[in-house]
Amino acid sequence: MVQMQFARKLSKSEVNCYQGPVHYIPHFSVNRPENRSTPVRIVFNASNRYNGDTINDFWMKGPDLLNNLVGVILRFRENRIAILGDISKMYHRIHIPEIDQHVHRYLWRDMEFDREPDIYIKQVLTFGDKPAPAMALTALRLTARESQTEYPEAAKVIERDTYMDDICPSVKSKPEAVKLIQDIDKILSNGGFSVKGWVSNEKIAEKVKEEEKGVKFCRKDSKGLPQ
């Protein structure tokens, strides 16, 4: 997390001199060895109670910005070529203000039990915070709107055909699919986001090389349907 700039270690002077609100969040690991991309997931518990309160008690949830799932699925099945992209570490791509960082302090001593733990702060949005979904989708949609003049179709897909961190459009032809993937990647890059891998029921690698874009292809059954 430190190497990816999602968190940083505080110096003793920062700890002693900071005058704003401070809160420490407990964390634990969830092991999922079958998950290739995230075999160990770090969970920060913003619902942990201290003196009867949680940090989530002091935050507003914000609006429900999730797209209607029925609509997303219907449009995903509307055209012949379906595309699916998963935004990598979406929450961790969104920076939070310093005052919020210090209420996301946590302790770590790397299993060295004979010393005082070091103090770190999260610098990015944390999964489990009450307002995190609204903040993440707000950042994603603002990123799309900033590029809607240059890439109108791709921006529309990001706003309309996304369910949380999954982008789920469908198109009529392979050239459309190639262009849409390229344009979405450009828009997301402008906002610090990226797709960890694209999946399609058609081979669309004529212009988008698999090793460069991480495009995977679904196999089809005897009836030509994606498995």
Side-chain angles (χ1 to χ4, degrees), residues 44-108:
F44 289 88
N45 187 6
S47 296
N48 182 74
R49 291 199 174 276
Y50 177 73
N51 287 340
D53 296 317
T54 75
I55 189 67
N56 271 339
D57 292 336
F58 297 91
W59 285 330
M60 299 293 289
K61 182 178 181 180
D64 181 3
L65 298 178
L66 281 174
N67 287 316
N68 182 279
L69 183 57
V70 174
V72 172
I73 292 175
L74 287 175
R75 289 189 293 274
F76 180 67
R77 298 174 63 91
E78 183 177 11
N79 297 301
R80 185 174 66 86
I81 300 177
I83 308 168
L84 179 64
D86 181 9
I87 299 176
S88 174
K89 297 179 176 61
M90 179 173 167
Y91 282 28
H92 283 167
R93 306 300 179 187
I94 301 165
H95 199 268
I96 59 176
E98 183 183 13
I99 192 170
D100 289 340
Q101 294 177 20
H102 282 276
V103 295
H104 287 85
R105 287 189 184 184
Y106 66 95
L107 305 176
W108 182 254

Side-chain angles (χ1 to χ4, degrees), residues 14-227:
E14 285 181 293
V15 173
N16 295 329
C17 296
Y18 183 73
Q19 298 296 316
V22 169
H23 180 75
Y24 289 81
I25 298 183
H27 54 86
F28 58 92
S29 64
V30 174
N31 298 316
R32 300 171 62 195
E34 75 282 358
N35 190 319
R36 292 184 180 181
S37 64
T38 315
V40 179
R41 183 179 297 276
I42 306 169
V43 177
F44 289 88
N45 187 6
S47 296
N48 182 74
R49 291 199 174 276
Y50 177 73
N51 287 340
D53 296 317
T54 75
I55 189 67
N56 271 339
D57 292 336
F58 297 91
W59 285 330
M60 299 293 289
K61 182 178 181 180
D64 181 3
L65 298 178
L66 281 174
N67 287 316
N68 182 279
L69 183 57
V70 174
V72 172
I73 292 175
L74 287 175
R75 289 189 293 274
F76 180 67
R77 298 174 63 91
E78 183 177 11
N79 297 301
R80 185 174 66 86
I81 300 177
I83 308 168
L84 179 64
D86 181 9
I87 299 176
S88 174
K89 297 179 176 61
M90 179 173 167
Y91 282 28
H92 283 167
R93 306 300 179 187
I94 301 165
H95 199 268
I96 59 176
E98 183 183 13
I99 192 170
D100 289 340
Q101 294 177 20
H102 282 276
V103 295
H104 287 85
R105 287 189 184 184
Y106 66 95
L107 305 176
W108 182 254
R109 54 183 171 189
D110 203 21
M111 305 299 288
E112 298 173 8
F113 300 109
D114 58 346
R115 69 175 180 87
E116 289 294 314
D118 296 315
I119 298 175
Y120 289 79
I121 54 174
K122 287 288 298 294
Q123 300 186 100
V124 293
L125 209 57
T126 299
F127 186 84
D129 288 358
K130 188 190 294 184
M135 293 171 70
L137 288 174
T138 297
L140 182 64
R141 291 179 181 180
L142 285 174
T143 299
R145 289 167 191 169
E146 287 175 352
S147 298
Q148 63 185 1
T149 300
E150 188 173 3
Y151 306 108
E153 289 302 318
K156 182 179 178 182
V157 164
I158 293 173
E159 286 209 58
R160 189 186 67 163
D161 296 328
T162 299
Y163 196 79
M164 203 61 240
D165 59 354
D166 291 318
I167 306 173
C168 323
S170 65
V171 294
K172 296 179 180 179
S173 67
K174 292 182 182 180
E176 282 185 83
V178 171
K179 185 176 188 308
L180 184 60
I181 286 175
Q182 292 173 336
D183 289 351
I184 290 176
D185 282 341
K186 291 174 184 175
I187 291 176
L188 294 180
S189 178
N190 291 337
F193 298 100
S194 65
V195 172
K196 69 174 67 172
W198 288 100
V199 180
S200 177
N201 63 319
E202 283 285 347
K203 289 188 176 182
I204 51 176
E206 289 84 354
K207 295 183 181 179
V208 182
K209 294 182 180 179
E210 181 173 355
E211 64 271 18
E212 292 179 353
K213 291 292 183 181
V215 178
K216 299 180 181 179
F217 312 113
C218 300
R219 291 177 296 179
K220 296 183 179 180
D221 60 20
S222 59
K223 296 181 180 181
L225 298 174
Q227 294 178 328

